[in-house]
Amino acid sequence: MKHLIEMVELHKAGAANGIYAVCSAHPLVLEAAIRFAGDSHTALLVEATSNQVDQFGGYTGMTPADFHGFVSQLAERLNFPLSQLILGGDHLGPNRWQNLTASEAMANADDLIKSYVAAGFTKIHLDCSMSCEDDPVPLTDEIVAERAARLAKIAEQARREHFGESDLVYIIGTEVPVPGGAHEALTELEVTTPEAARATLEAHRLAFEKQGLADIWPRIIGLVVQPGVEFDNTHVIDYRPEKAVALSEMVNAYDSLVFEAHSTDYQTPQALRQLVKDHFAILKVGPALTFALREALFSLAAIEEELLPAKASSGLRQVLESVMLDRPEYWQSHYHGDGNARRLARGYSYSDRVRYYWPDSQIDDAFERLVRNLADEPIPLPLVSQYLPLQYRKVREEALKATPRELIIDHIQDILRQYHAACQGTSSHNA
């Protein structure tokens, strides 16, 4: 994948540039990202995770081919060139099937990889770090690498079968804690040691050689490590560059490799920029984008309550709360404390478990009604100022229309602007 290979080459040449990955399946988040990339004249990396999208549909109900078609159609509708769109698969391996035996889980992982590659995904994160039902805990580097190499061989075969030759790029390794935000309160994280990072790379190099894949090593462009960033429901652990000095320097020994940093959501703009400078050149962002979407929708719901009688309002927040209480499976193991603490977490947690509920038909109907209600008449500027002050300034400057969709899109793009700035480096046209 030439965009990513060129990004790594520039970074290794000292450009201090990077790329961010949008990890979301929400149509408004994706529209915001596509429009922003189009306006910025940059490539856009969009990623699906193995729990969102798989050969059985994942929690989004989409297979990899469905997701590829969904994003591609959205890009075409928004006049974004498909040549600038990169699709990646995240945590591809037995993650979804840890309750099965290793043999059963890996058979499913084989099909998962095939389906992602056949659908046209070109950035593949091989992650076999999770223990299955009959596995030791934790797995050794050798077992993890052996399984990853097995999947890489399948990926290469599938790419050649469907597209003639393979130009896939790979990410290996995994972060700690689990993807998507920590379940428990955090105070500090252990940064991956250089020794552990080298051991992961060496184990994978040997395993790839055993599978006859030594020639694809230059296309392994990223190693997932823990730079010391994470978030839980109410706290963010900020990047401390002084704690990652040794890890940052270690990657200089590898000509075609940078680090990939997961869970960078909610980091400050300064921290994001420093991460890229310190060779964490691929920044993943997901919950922060749907968190911004939720902020915008709650603000619009508050404006609606000011303008309309209750019987005419969408009741978005009440509908959302009702559905989350009726179907607690996506939040109950993540949110703790008394009833009020859990209520606040459902609406406002950094973990943003709300994102799993937006596709619900009742919530979607309330969302559509909210947008219709506020689109009929111009939203009074004082209310925009009260509830969406960052957008108010742009509206007053006539840089933004005060319509519901445009206010939502711009609020999401405020997050994307931070990532874009962090990834510019000295070669902004290639970021």
mmCIF file of all heavy atoms in Angstrom, residues 309-357:
data_model
loop_
_atom_site.group_PDB
_atom_site.id
_atom_site.type_symbol
_atom_site.label_atom_id
_atom_site.label_comp_id
_atom_site.label_asym_id
_atom_site.label_seq_id
_atom_site.Cartn_x
_atom_site.Cartn_y
_atom_site.Cartn_z
ATOM 1 N N PRO A 309 -42.044 22.178 22.728
ATOM 2 C CA PRO A 309 -42.680 21.513 23.869
ATOM 3 C C PRO A 309 -42.294 20.046 23.902
ATOM 4 O O PRO A 309 -41.953 19.461 22.864
ATOM 5 C CB PRO A 309 -44.182 21.694 23.589
ATOM 6 C CG PRO A 309 -44.284 21.937 22.121
ATOM 7 C CD PRO A 309 -43.025 22.648 21.734
ATOM 8 N N ALA A 310 -42.359 19.442 25.080
ATOM 9 C CA ALA A 310 -41.892 18.074 25.262
ATOM 10 C C ALA A 310 -42.563 17.097 24.301
ATOM 11 O O ALA A 310 -41.918 16.199 23.752
ATOM 12 C CB ALA A 310 -42.127 17.646 26.708
ATOM 13 N N LYS A 311 -43.867 17.286 24.071
ATOM 14 C CA LYS A 311 -44.594 16.330 23.232
ATOM 15 C C LYS A 311 -44.137 16.370 21.774
ATOM 16 O O LYS A 311 -44.328 15.407 21.020
ATOM 17 C CB LYS A 311 -46.101 16.590 23.325
ATOM 18 C CG LYS A 311 -46.550 17.936 22.791
ATOM 19 C CD LYS A 311 -48.053 18.106 22.939
ATOM 20 C CE LYS A 311 -48.508 19.469 22.387
ATOM 21 N NZ LYS A 311 -49.967 19.633 22.541
ATOM 22 N N ALA A 312 -43.530 17.482 21.370
ATOM 23 C CA ALA A 312 -43.052 17.601 19.983
ATOM 24 C C ALA A 312 -41.570 17.249 19.848
ATOM 25 O O ALA A 312 -41.069 17.103 18.730
ATOM 26 C CB ALA A 312 -43.282 19.022 19.474
ATOM 27 N N SER A 313 -40.877 17.089 20.956
ATOM 28 C CA SER A 313 -39.436 16.832 20.928
ATOM 29 C C SER A 313 -39.131 15.368 20.628
ATOM 30 O O SER A 313 -39.984 14.491 20.780
ATOM 31 C CB SER A 313 -38.800 17.220 22.261
ATOM 32 O OG SER A 313 -38.868 18.618 22.464
ATOM 33 N N SER A 314 -37.891 15.126 20.246
ATOM 34 C CA SER A 314 -37.450 13.767 19.920
ATOM 35 C C SER A 314 -37.276 12.895 21.166
ATOM 36 O O SER A 314 -37.387 11.674 21.086
ATOM 37 C CB SER A 314 -36.113 13.826 19.174
ATOM 38 O OG SER A 314 -35.094 14.367 20.021
ATOM 39 N N GLY A 315 -36.976 13.539 22.303
ATOM 40 C CA GLY A 315 -36.695 12.766 23.509
ATOM 41 C C GLY A 315 -35.470 11.881 23.363
ATOM 42 O O GLY A 315 -35.391 10.803 23.967
ATOM 43 N N LEU A 316 -34.509 12.329 22.564
ATOM 44 C CA LEU A 316 -33.351 11.484 22.244
ATOM 45 C C LEU A 316 -32.674 10.920 23.491
ATOM 46 O O LEU A 316 -32.402 9.721 23.579
ATOM 47 C CB LEU A 316 -32.337 12.279 21.413
ATOM 48 C CG LEU A 316 -31.029 11.526 21.101
ATOM 49 C CD1 LEU A 316 -31.277 10.407 20.108
ATOM 50 C CD2 LEU A 316 -29.965 12.477 20.565
ATOM 51 N N ARG A 317 -32.409 11.775 24.455
ATOM 52 C CA ARG A 317 -31.665 11.312 25.632
ATOM 53 C C ARG A 317 -32.472 10.293 26.425
ATOM 54 O O ARG A 317 -31.924 9.312 26.926
ATOM 55 C CB ARG A 317 -31.273 12.494 26.513
ATOM 56 C CG ARG A 317 -30.243 13.403 25.849
ATOM 57 C CD ARG A 317 -29.583 14.327 26.846
ATOM 58 N NE ARG A 317 -28.911 13.586 27.899
ATOM 59 C CZ ARG A 317 -28.279 14.144 28.912
ATOM 60 N NH1 ARG A 317 -28.238 15.462 29.006
ATOM 61 N NH2 ARG A 317 -27.693 13.427 29.834
ATOM 62 N N GLN A 318 -33.762 10.519 26.546
ATOM 63 C CA GLN A 318 -34.602 9.583 27.288
ATOM 64 C C GLN A 318 -34.708 8.244 26.552
ATOM 65 O O GLN A 318 -34.672 7.176 27.178
ATOM 66 C CB GLN A 318 -36.001 10.186 27.490
ATOM 67 C CG GLN A 318 -36.051 11.411 28.396
ATOM 68 C CD GLN A 318 -35.606 12.696 27.699
ATOM 69 O OE1 GLN A 318 -35.449 12.727 26.481
ATOM 70 N NE2 GLN A 318 -35.386 13.751 28.478
ATOM 71 N N VAL A 319 -34.822 8.300 25.231
ATOM 72 C CA VAL A 319 -34.892 7.069 24.437
ATOM 73 C C VAL A 319 -33.592 6.290 24.566
ATOM 74 O O VAL A 319 -33.587 5.064 24.752
ATOM 75 C CB VAL A 319 -35.188 7.386 22.956
ATOM 76 C CG1 VAL A 319 -35.088 6.123 22.094
ATOM 77 C CG2 VAL A 319 -36.566 8.016 22.802
ATOM 78 N N LEU A 320 -32.472 7.002 24.485
ATOM 79 C CA LEU A 320 -31.161 6.364 24.609
ATOM 80 C C LEU A 320 -31.017 5.670 25.958
ATOM 81 O O LEU A 320 -30.605 4.499 26.033
ATOM 82 C CB LEU A 320 -30.069 7.424 24.430
ATOM 83 C CG LEU A 320 -28.621 6.951 24.547
ATOM 84 C CD1 LEU A 320 -28.288 5.944 23.475
ATOM 85 C CD2 LEU A 320 -27.673 8.144 24.471
ATOM 86 N N GLU A 321 -31.365 6.369 27.026
ATOM 87 C CA GLU A 321 -31.261 5.793 28.365
ATOM 88 C C GLU A 321 -32.153 4.563 28.500
ATOM 89 O O GLU A 321 -31.752 3.538 29.071
ATOM 90 C CB GLU A 321 -31.618 6.852 29.411
ATOM 91 C CG GLU A 321 -31.678 6.359 30.849
ATOM 92 C CD GLU A 321 -30.318 6.037 31.455
ATOM 93 O OE1 GLU A 321 -29.294 6.080 30.729
ATOM 94 O OE2 GLU A 321 -30.275 5.730 32.653
ATOM 95 N N SER A 322 -33.357 4.637 27.958
ATOM 96 C CA SER A 322 -34.286 3.517 28.050
ATOM 97 C C SER A 322 -33.753 2.277 27.337
ATOM 98 O O SER A 322 -33.802 1.165 27.878
ATOM 99 C CB SER A 322 -35.640 3.931 27.456
ATOM 100 O OG SER A 322 -36.534 2.850 27.445
ATOM 101 N N VAL A 323 -33.229 2.477 26.142
ATOM 102 C CA VAL A 323 -32.696 1.343 25.376
ATOM 103 C C VAL A 323 -31.472 0.750 26.066
ATOM 104 O O VAL A 323 -31.313 -0.481 26.137
ATOM 105 C CB VAL A 323 -32.363 1.777 23.931
ATOM 106 C CG1 VAL A 323 -31.606 0.668 23.189
ATOM 107 C CG2 VAL A 323 -33.640 2.136 23.177
ATOM 108 N N MET A 324 -30.599 1.602 26.604
ATOM 109 C CA MET A 324 -29.402 1.098 27.286
ATOM 110 C C MET A 324 -29.775 0.303 28.538
ATOM 111 O O MET A 324 -29.120 -0.683 28.878
ATOM 112 C CB MET A 324 -28.457 2.248 27.625
ATOM 113 C CG MET A 324 -27.811 2.875 26.394
ATOM 114 S SD MET A 324 -26.624 4.207 26.768
ATOM 115 C CE MET A 324 -25.175 3.247 27.258
ATOM 116 N N LEU A 325 -30.827 0.708 29.215
ATOM 117 C CA LEU A 325 -31.279 -0.039 30.391
ATOM 118 C C LEU A 325 -31.929 -1.358 29.983
ATOM 119 O O LEU A 325 -31.772 -2.376 30.670
ATOM 120 C CB LEU A 325 -32.261 0.803 31.209
ATOM 121 C CG LEU A 325 -31.650 1.975 31.979
ATOM 122 C CD1 LEU A 325 -32.743 2.834 32.594
ATOM 123 C CD2 LEU A 325 -30.674 1.496 33.049
ATOM 124 N N ASP A 326 -32.647 -1.350 28.880
ATOM 125 C CA ASP A 326 -33.291 -2.577 28.398
ATOM 126 C C ASP A 326 -32.278 -3.588 27.862
ATOM 127 O O ASP A 326 -32.503 -4.802 27.952
ATOM 128 C CB ASP A 326 -34.296 -2.259 27.285
ATOM 129 C CG ASP A 326 -35.563 -1.605 27.811
ATOM 130 O OD1 ASP A 326 -35.804 -1.679 29.029
ATOM 131 O OD2 ASP A 326 -36.309 -1.007 26.999
ATOM 132 N N ARG A 327 -31.196 -3.070 27.306
ATOM 133 C CA ARG A 327 -30.174 -3.951 26.709
ATOM 134 C C ARG A 327 -28.805 -3.574 27.274
ATOM 135 O O ARG A 327 -27.999 -2.902 26.620
ATOM 136 C CB ARG A 327 -30.169 -3.775 25.187
ATOM 137 C CG ARG A 327 -31.452 -4.241 24.505
ATOM 138 C CD ARG A 327 -31.437 -3.903 23.031
ATOM 139 N NE ARG A 327 -30.151 -4.214 22.421
ATOM 140 C CZ ARG A 327 -29.571 -3.478 21.471
ATOM 141 N NH1 ARG A 327 -30.155 -2.372 21.040
ATOM 142 N NH2 ARG A 327 -28.406 -3.828 20.974
ATOM 143 N N PRO A 328 -28.508 -4.023 28.490
ATOM 144 C CA PRO A 328 -27.299 -3.571 29.181
ATOM 145 C C PRO A 328 -26.016 -4.304 28.789
ATOM 146 O O PRO A 328 -24.955 -4.009 29.335
ATOM 147 C CB PRO A 328 -27.634 -3.848 30.652
ATOM 148 C CG PRO A 328 -28.531 -5.034 30.602
ATOM 149 C CD PRO A 328 -29.362 -4.872 29.358
ATOM 150 N N GLU A 329 -26.087 -5.209 27.830
ATOM 151 C CA GLU A 329 -24.936 -6.082 27.577
ATOM 152 C C GLU A 329 -23.685 -5.341 27.137
ATOM 153 O O GLU A 329 -22.565 -5.825 27.335
ATOM 154 C CB GLU A 329 -25.289 -7.157 26.543
ATOM 155 C CG GLU A 329 -25.672 -6.642 25.154
ATOM 156 C CD GLU A 329 -27.167 -6.423 24.966
ATOM 157 O OE1 GLU A 329 -27.889 -6.237 25.978
ATOM 158 O OE2 GLU A 329 -27.620 -6.417 23.805
ATOM 159 N N TYR A 330 -23.847 -4.168 26.540
ATOM 160 C CA TYR A 330 -22.659 -3.454 26.045
ATOM 161 C C TYR A 330 -22.016 -2.547 27.086
ATOM 162 O O TYR A 330 -20.923 -2.022 26.840
ATOM 163 C CB TYR A 330 -23.012 -2.625 24.805
ATOM 164 C CG TYR A 330 -23.329 -3.454 23.585
ATOM 165 C CD1 TYR A 330 -24.563 -3.350 22.947
ATOM 166 C CD2 TYR A 330 -22.400 -4.351 23.060
ATOM 167 C CE1 TYR A 330 -24.864 -4.102 21.818
ATOM 168 C CE2 TYR A 330 -22.690 -5.112 21.940
ATOM 169 C CZ TYR A 330 -23.923 -4.985 21.332
ATOM 170 O OH TYR A 330 -24.210 -5.740 20.221
ATOM 171 N N TRP A 331 -22.680 -2.309 28.225
ATOM 172 C CA TRP A 331 -22.097 -1.384 29.197
ATOM 173 C C TRP A 331 -21.965 -1.944 30.615
ATOM 174 O O TRP A 331 -21.137 -1.475 31.395
ATOM 175 C CB TRP A 331 -22.890 -0.079 29.266
ATOM 176 C CG TRP A 331 -24.334 -0.218 29.691
ATOM 177 C CD1 TRP A 331 -25.418 -0.305 28.886
ATOM 178 C CD2 TRP A 331 -24.848 -0.301 31.034
ATOM 179 N NE1 TRP A 331 -26.574 -0.433 29.614
ATOM 180 C CE2 TRP A 331 -26.251 -0.429 30.939
ATOM 181 C CE3 TRP A 331 -24.252 -0.254 32.298
ATOM 182 C CZ2 TRP A 331 -27.078 -0.530 32.059
ATOM 183 C CZ3 TRP A 331 -25.075 -0.360 33.419
ATOM 184 C CH2 TRP A 331 -26.466 -0.497 33.301
ATOM 185 N N GLN A 332 -22.745 -2.958 30.971
ATOM 186 C CA GLN A 332 -22.832 -3.316 32.388
ATOM 187 C C GLN A 332 -21.524 -3.842 32.971
ATOM 188 O O GLN A 332 -21.255 -3.644 34.159
ATOM 189 C CB GLN A 332 -23.969 -4.310 32.632
ATOM 190 C CG GLN A 332 -23.837 -5.639 31.920
ATOM 191 C CD GLN A 332 -25.063 -6.516 32.146
ATOM 192 O OE1 GLN A 332 -25.945 -6.174 32.923
ATOM 193 N NE2 GLN A 332 -25.131 -7.644 31.451
ATOM 194 N N SER A 333 -20.683 -4.497 32.164
ATOM 195 C CA SER A 333 -19.404 -4.983 32.700
ATOM 196 C C SER A 333 -18.331 -3.897 32.706
ATOM 197 O O SER A 333 -17.233 -4.104 33.241
ATOM 198 C CB SER A 333 -18.919 -6.196 31.894
ATOM 199 O OG SER A 333 -18.616 -5.822 30.562
ATOM 200 N N HIS A 334 -18.633 -2.731 32.125
ATOM 201 C CA HIS A 334 -17.663 -1.637 32.042
ATOM 202 C C HIS A 334 -17.912 -0.552 33.086
ATOM 203 O O HIS A 334 -16.983 0.177 33.454
ATOM 204 C CB HIS A 334 -17.707 -0.996 30.645
ATOM 205 C CG HIS A 334 -17.188 -1.886 29.565
ATOM 206 N ND1 HIS A 334 -15.951 -1.716 28.990
ATOM 207 C CD2 HIS A 334 -17.737 -2.967 28.957
ATOM 208 C CE1 HIS A 334 -15.758 -2.637 28.067
ATOM 209 N NE2 HIS A 334 -16.835 -3.403 28.022
ATOM 210 N N TYR A 335 -19.159 -0.400 33.522
ATOM 211 C CA TYR A 335 -19.518 0.695 34.418
ATOM 212 C C TYR A 335 -19.889 0.152 35.796
ATOM 213 O O TYR A 335 -20.674 -0.793 35.911
ATOM 214 C CB TYR A 335 -20.703 1.486 33.845
ATOM 215 C CG TYR A 335 -20.448 2.105 32.491
ATOM 216 C CD1 TYR A 335 -21.496 2.386 31.623
ATOM 217 C CD2 TYR A 335 -19.153 2.423 32.074
ATOM 218 C CE1 TYR A 335 -21.279 2.969 30.382
ATOM 219 C CE2 TYR A 335 -18.918 2.994 30.840
ATOM 220 C CZ TYR A 335 -19.982 3.260 29.999
ATOM 221 O OH TYR A 335 -19.747 3.827 28.766
ATOM 222 N N HIS A 336 -19.312 0.771 36.825
ATOM 223 C CA HIS A 336 -19.476 0.274 38.197
ATOM 224 C C HIS A 336 -19.922 1.414 39.114
ATOM 225 O O HIS A 336 -20.041 2.563 38.694
ATOM 226 C CB HIS A 336 -18.165 -0.348 38.684
ATOM 227 C CG HIS A 336 -17.617 -1.379 37.733
ATOM 228 N ND1 HIS A 336 -18.184 -2.617 37.565
ATOM 229 C CD2 HIS A 336 -16.562 -1.328 36.882
ATOM 230 C CE1 HIS A 336 -17.502 -3.291 36.651
ATOM 231 N NE2 HIS A 336 -16.509 -2.528 36.216
ATOM 232 N N GLY A 337 -20.181 1.071 40.375
ATOM 233 C CA GLY A 337 -20.613 2.072 41.343
ATOM 234 C C GLY A 337 -22.113 2.018 41.564
ATOM 235 O O GLY A 337 -22.806 1.089 41.132
ATOM 236 N N ASP A 338 -22.630 3.036 42.245
ATOM 237 C CA ASP A 338 -24.058 3.061 42.535
ATOM 238 C C ASP A 338 -24.859 3.457 41.294
ATOM 239 O O ASP A 338 -24.305 3.697 40.216
ATOM 240 C CB ASP A 338 -24.357 3.993 43.719
ATOM 241 C CG ASP A 338 -23.986 5.452 43.450
ATOM 242 O OD1 ASP A 338 -23.863 5.842 42.269
ATOM 243 O OD2 ASP A 338 -23.810 6.209 44.426
ATOM 244 N N GLY A 339 -26.186 3.530 41.469
ATOM 245 C CA GLY A 339 -27.056 3.806 40.334
ATOM 246 C C GLY A 339 -26.752 5.107 39.638
ATOM 247 O O GLY A 339 -26.780 5.188 38.403
ATOM 248 N N ASN A 340 -26.431 6.136 40.414
ATOM 249 C CA ASN A 340 -26.158 7.436 39.806
ATOM 250 C C ASN A 340 -24.843 7.431 39.042
ATOM 251 O O ASN A 340 -24.738 8.027 37.964
ATOM 252 C CB ASN A 340 -26.146 8.527 40.876
ATOM 253 C CG ASN A 340 -26.191 9.920 40.273
ATOM 254 O OD1 ASN A 340 -27.049 10.221 39.449
ATOM 255 N ND2 ASN A 340 -25.256 10.774 40.679
ATOM 256 N N ALA A 341 -23.843 6.748 39.602
ATOM 257 C CA ALA A 341 -22.544 6.663 38.926
ATOM 258 C C ALA A 341 -22.685 5.940 37.584
ATOM 259 O O ALA A 341 -22.095 6.342 36.576
ATOM 260 C CB ALA A 341 -21.527 5.947 39.814
ATOM 261 N N ARG A 342 -23.473 4.887 37.568
ATOM 262 C CA ARG A 342 -23.671 4.132 36.328
ATOM 263 C C ARG A 342 -24.500 4.941 35.320
ATOM 264 O O ARG A 342 -24.261 4.881 34.113
ATOM 265 C CB ARG A 342 -24.323 2.780 36.636
ATOM 266 C CG ARG A 342 -23.357 1.819 37.326
ATOM 267 C CD ARG A 342 -24.074 0.743 38.136
ATOM 268 N NE ARG A 342 -24.699 -0.273 37.315
ATOM 269 C CZ ARG A 342 -24.113 -1.404 36.918
ATOM 270 N NH1 ARG A 342 -22.856 -1.651 37.260
ATOM 271 N NH2 ARG A 342 -24.764 -2.300 36.209
ATOM 272 N N ARG A 343 -25.457 5.720 35.824
ATOM 273 C CA ARG A 343 -26.244 6.588 34.937
ATOM 274 C C ARG A 343 -25.346 7.616 34.263
ATOM 275 O O ARG A 343 -25.424 7.829 33.045
ATOM 276 C CB ARG A 343 -27.334 7.294 35.745
ATOM 277 C CG ARG A 343 -28.172 8.275 34.907
ATOM 278 C CD ARG A 343 -29.123 9.089 35.775
ATOM 279 N NE ARG A 343 -28.406 9.954 36.702
ATOM 280 C CZ ARG A 343 -27.869 11.141 36.371
ATOM 281 N NH1 ARG A 343 -27.940 11.583 35.131
ATOM 282 N NH2 ARG A 343 -27.246 11.875 37.289
ATOM 283 N N LEU A 344 -24.476 8.251 35.053
ATOM 284 C CA LEU A 344 -23.549 9.232 34.480
ATOM 285 C C LEU A 344 -22.616 8.578 33.473
ATOM 286 O O LEU A 344 -22.338 9.142 32.401
ATOM 287 C CB LEU A 344 -22.737 9.902 35.596
ATOM 288 C CG LEU A 344 -23.481 10.939 36.439
ATOM 289 C CD1 LEU A 344 -22.636 11.340 37.639
ATOM 290 C CD2 LEU A 344 -23.839 12.162 35.601
ATOM 291 N N ALA A 345 -22.132 7.384 33.797
ATOM 292 C CA ALA A 345 -21.226 6.686 32.891
ATOM 293 C C ALA A 345 -21.916 6.341 31.572
ATOM 294 O O ALA A 345 -21.316 6.467 30.490
ATOM 295 C CB ALA A 345 -20.684 5.420 33.551
ATOM 296 N N ARG A 346 -23.163 5.916 31.656
ATOM 297 C CA ARG A 346 -23.874 5.578 30.419
ATOM 298 C C ARG A 346 -23.916 6.763 29.456
ATOM 299 O O ARG A 346 -23.791 6.596 28.244
ATOM 300 C CB ARG A 346 -25.300 5.105 30.737
ATOM 301 C CG ARG A 346 -25.391 3.687 31.253
ATOM 302 C CD ARG A 346 -26.834 3.172 31.264
ATOM 303 N NE ARG A 346 -27.691 3.917 32.184
ATOM 304 C CZ ARG A 346 -27.846 3.645 33.476
ATOM 305 N NH1 ARG A 346 -27.170 2.642 34.025
ATOM 306 N NH2 ARG A 346 -28.662 4.365 34.240
ATOM 307 N N GLY A 347 -24.076 7.959 29.988
ATOM 308 C CA GLY A 347 -24.159 9.126 29.115
ATOM 309 C C GLY A 347 -22.830 9.761 28.774
ATOM 310 O O GLY A 347 -22.662 10.266 27.665
ATOM 311 N N TYR A 348 -21.888 9.719 29.726
ATOM 312 C CA TYR A 348 -20.721 10.594 29.580
ATOM 313 C C TYR A 348 -19.356 9.911 29.632
ATOM 314 O O TYR A 348 -18.343 10.585 29.497
ATOM 315 C CB TYR A 348 -20.762 11.671 30.674
ATOM 316 C CG TYR A 348 -21.980 12.550 30.614
ATOM 317 C CD1 TYR A 348 -23.052 12.345 31.476
ATOM 318 C CD2 TYR A 348 -22.078 13.575 29.671
ATOM 319 C CE1 TYR A 348 -24.189 13.158 31.419
ATOM 320 C CE2 TYR A 348 -23.204 14.383 29.601
ATOM 321 C CZ TYR A 348 -24.256 14.170 30.473
ATOM 322 O OH TYR A 348 -25.366 14.963 30.403
ATOM 323 N N SER A 349 -19.291 8.604 29.841
ATOM 324 C CA SER A 349 -17.995 7.941 30.003
ATOM 325 C C SER A 349 -17.086 8.127 28.785
ATOM 326 O O SER A 349 -17.528 8.079 27.642
ATOM 327 C CB SER A 349 -18.213 6.448 30.232
ATOM 328 O OG SER A 349 -16.998 5.738 30.103
ATOM 329 N N TYR A 350 -15.795 8.305 29.054
ATOM 330 C CA TYR A 350 -14.803 8.312 27.983
ATOM 331 C C TYR A 350 -14.846 7.004 27.187
ATOM 332 O O TYR A 350 -14.527 6.984 25.997
ATOM 333 C CB TYR A 350 -13.396 8.481 28.550
ATOM 334 C CG TYR A 350 -13.007 9.898 28.915
ATOM 335 C CD1 TYR A 350 -12.302 10.152 30.101
ATOM 336 C CD2 TYR A 350 -13.295 10.972 28.088
ATOM 337 C CE1 TYR A 350 -11.909 11.433 30.446
ATOM 338 C CE2 TYR A 350 -12.906 12.264 28.420
ATOM 339 C CZ TYR A 350 -12.215 12.489 29.608
ATOM 340 O OH TYR A 350 -11.819 13.763 29.948
ATOM 341 N N SER A 351 -15.188 5.911 27.847
ATOM 342 C CA SER A 351 -15.252 4.622 27.143
ATOM 343 C C SER A 351 -16.341 4.626 26.080
ATOM 344 O O SER A 351 -16.303 3.827 25.144
ATOM 345 C CB SER A 351 -15.504 3.483 28.137
ATOM 346 O OG SER A 351 -14.438 3.378 29.058
ATOM 347 N N ASP A 352 -17.323 5.490 26.239
ATOM 348 C CA ASP A 352 -18.342 5.743 25.226
ATOM 349 C C ASP A 352 -19.013 4.459 24.748
ATOM 350 O O ASP A 352 -19.048 4.163 23.555
ATOM 351 C CB ASP A 352 -17.739 6.496 24.031
ATOM 352 C CG ASP A 352 -18.818 6.976 23.062
ATOM 353 O OD1 ASP A 352 -19.796 7.571 23.535
ATOM 354 O OD2 ASP A 352 -18.683 6.729 21.847
ATOM 355 N N ARG A 353 -19.546 3.706 25.697
ATOM 356 C CA ARG A 353 -20.283 2.506 25.306
ATOM 357 C C ARG A 353 -21.577 2.862 24.562
ATOM 358 O O ARG A 353 -22.204 1.995 23.958
ATOM 359 C CB ARG A 353 -20.588 1.652 26.538
ATOM 360 C CG ARG A 353 -19.380 1.312 27.402
ATOM 361 C CD ARG A 353 -18.273 0.606 26.669
ATOM 362 N NE ARG A 353 -18.657 -0.745 26.257
ATOM 363 C CZ ARG A 353 -17.858 -1.560 25.585
ATOM 364 N NH1 ARG A 353 -16.655 -1.149 25.210
ATOM 365 N NH2 ARG A 353 -18.269 -2.766 25.264
ATOM 366 N N VAL A 354 -21.948 4.145 24.591
ATOM 367 C CA VAL A 354 -23.099 4.619 23.799
ATOM 368 C C VAL A 354 -22.936 4.239 22.333
ATOM 369 O O VAL A 354 -23.921 3.978 21.631
ATOM 370 C CB VAL A 354 -23.254 6.157 23.925
ATOM 371 C CG1 VAL A 354 -24.316 6.684 22.969
ATOM 372 C CG2 VAL A 354 -23.602 6.553 25.351
ATOM 373 N N ARG A 355 -21.700 4.179 21.860
ATOM 374 C CA ARG A 355 -21.478 3.969 20.432
ATOM 375 C C ARG A 355 -22.079 2.663 19.924
ATOM 376 O O ARG A 355 -22.361 2.524 18.734
ATOM 377 C CB ARG A 355 -19.980 4.033 20.113
ATOM 378 C CG ARG A 355 -19.126 2.891 20.635
ATOM 379 C CD ARG A 355 -17.649 3.185 20.343
ATOM 380 N NE ARG A 355 -16.747 2.096 20.682
ATOM 381 C CZ ARG A 355 -16.228 1.917 21.885
ATOM 382 N NH1 ARG A 355 -16.524 2.748 22.875
ATOM 383 N NH2 ARG A 355 -15.393 0.912 22.123
ATOM 384 N N TYR A 356 -22.273 1.701 20.806
ATOM 385 C CA TYR A 356 -22.853 0.432 20.393
ATOM 386 C C TYR A 356 -24.363 0.529 20.166
ATOM 387 O O TYR A 356 -24.956 -0.396 19.608
ATOM 388 C CB TYR A 356 -22.580 -0.644 21.455
ATOM 389 C CG TYR A 356 -21.124 -1.002 21.586
ATOM 390 C CD1 TYR A 356 -20.297 -0.336 22.482
ATOM 391 C CD2 TYR A 356 -20.563 -2.003 20.791
ATOM 392 C CE1 TYR A 356 -18.951 -0.660 22.603
ATOM 393 C CE2 TYR A 356 -19.219 -2.337 20.900
ATOM 394 C CZ TYR A 356 -18.422 -1.658 21.807
ATOM 395 O OH TYR A 356 -17.089 -1.978 21.909
ATOM 396 N N TYR A 357 -24.981 1.624 20.599
ATOM 397 C CA TYR A 357 -26.435 1.719 20.584
ATOM 398 C C TYR A 357 -27.000 2.610 19.478
ATOM 399 O O TYR A 357 -28.197 2.569 19.219
ATOM 400 C CB TYR A 357 -26.932 2.225 21.956
ATOM 401 C CG TYR A 357 -26.692 1.230 23.064
ATOM 402 C CD1 TYR A 357 -25.502 1.235 23.783
ATOM 403 C CD2 TYR A 357 -27.645 0.269 23.371
ATOM 404 C CE1 TYR A 357 -25.261 0.309 24.790
ATOM 405 C CE2 TYR A 357 -27.428 -0.661 24.380
ATOM 406 C CZ TYR A 357 -26.234 -0.642 25.082
ATOM 407 O OH TYR A 357 -26.001 -1.563 26.077
#
